Amino acid sequence: MLISPAYAQTTGAAAQASGFASFLSLAPLVLVFIVFYFLMIRPQQRRVKALQDAVSAVKKGDSVVTAGGIVGRVTRVEDVFVEVEIAANTRVRIVKATIAEVTNPMSAKPAND
């Protein structure tokens, strides 16, 4: 009445076809993961590696931006800390890991004024 009749599962060629059909149902998920990897994950890993290299190579005179938005010029570099001059005669010590961007003032382009 309310229950539909149950059919026995076929064997042989139909069972092999259902295995291929289950593979085809997973194929879009695999394809989406591959696209995400090449369009999102891989470029992000490259940016992180480039930032880590720049932070480890920071030197006196470089201009840095911290994760908190403080902009300044590096005056002293230590193993873990960096001393940054944020205004005339105003120096702060920051942790190297909080540096979000490193720019070399020699390679910076002047504004088109």
Side-chain angles (χ1 to χ4, degrees):
M1 296 184 25
L2 296 175
I3 301 172
S4 62
Y7 295 101
Q9 192 174 19
T10 60
T11 60
Q16 291 175 356
S18 68
F20 183 70
S22 65
F23 172 74
L24 283 179
S25 68
L26 291 177
L29 293 175
V30 172
L31 182 66
V32 166
F33 178 75
I34 291 171
V35 168
F36 275 166
Y37 177 76
F38 282 107
L39 294 179
M40 295 177 71
I41 298 171
R42 194 165 171 230
Q44 179 64 24
Q45 288 175 341
R46 285 184 178 174
R47 280 189 291 258
V48 168
K49 177 123 175 70
L51 178 63
Q52 287 174 347
D53 292 342
V55 168
S56 66
V58 70
K59 60 187 180 303
K60 183 177 178 179
D62 286 346
S63 179
V64 296
V65 179
T66 66
I70 297 174
V71 179
R73 186 167 315 281
V74 176
T75 58
R76 188 172 69 185
V77 179
E78 298 174 6
D79 289 336
V80 178
F81 296 102
V82 175
E83 188 174 278
V84 178
E85 185 174 18
I86 56 175
N89 297 325
T90 306
R91 295 183 177 150
V92 293
R93 286 181 64 196
I94 62 169
V95 178
K96 266 188 179 182
T98 61
I99 295 175
E101 185 180 347
V102 178
T103 58
N104 189 344
M106 300 300 171
S107 65
K109 291 182 182 178
N112 292 332
D113 291 332

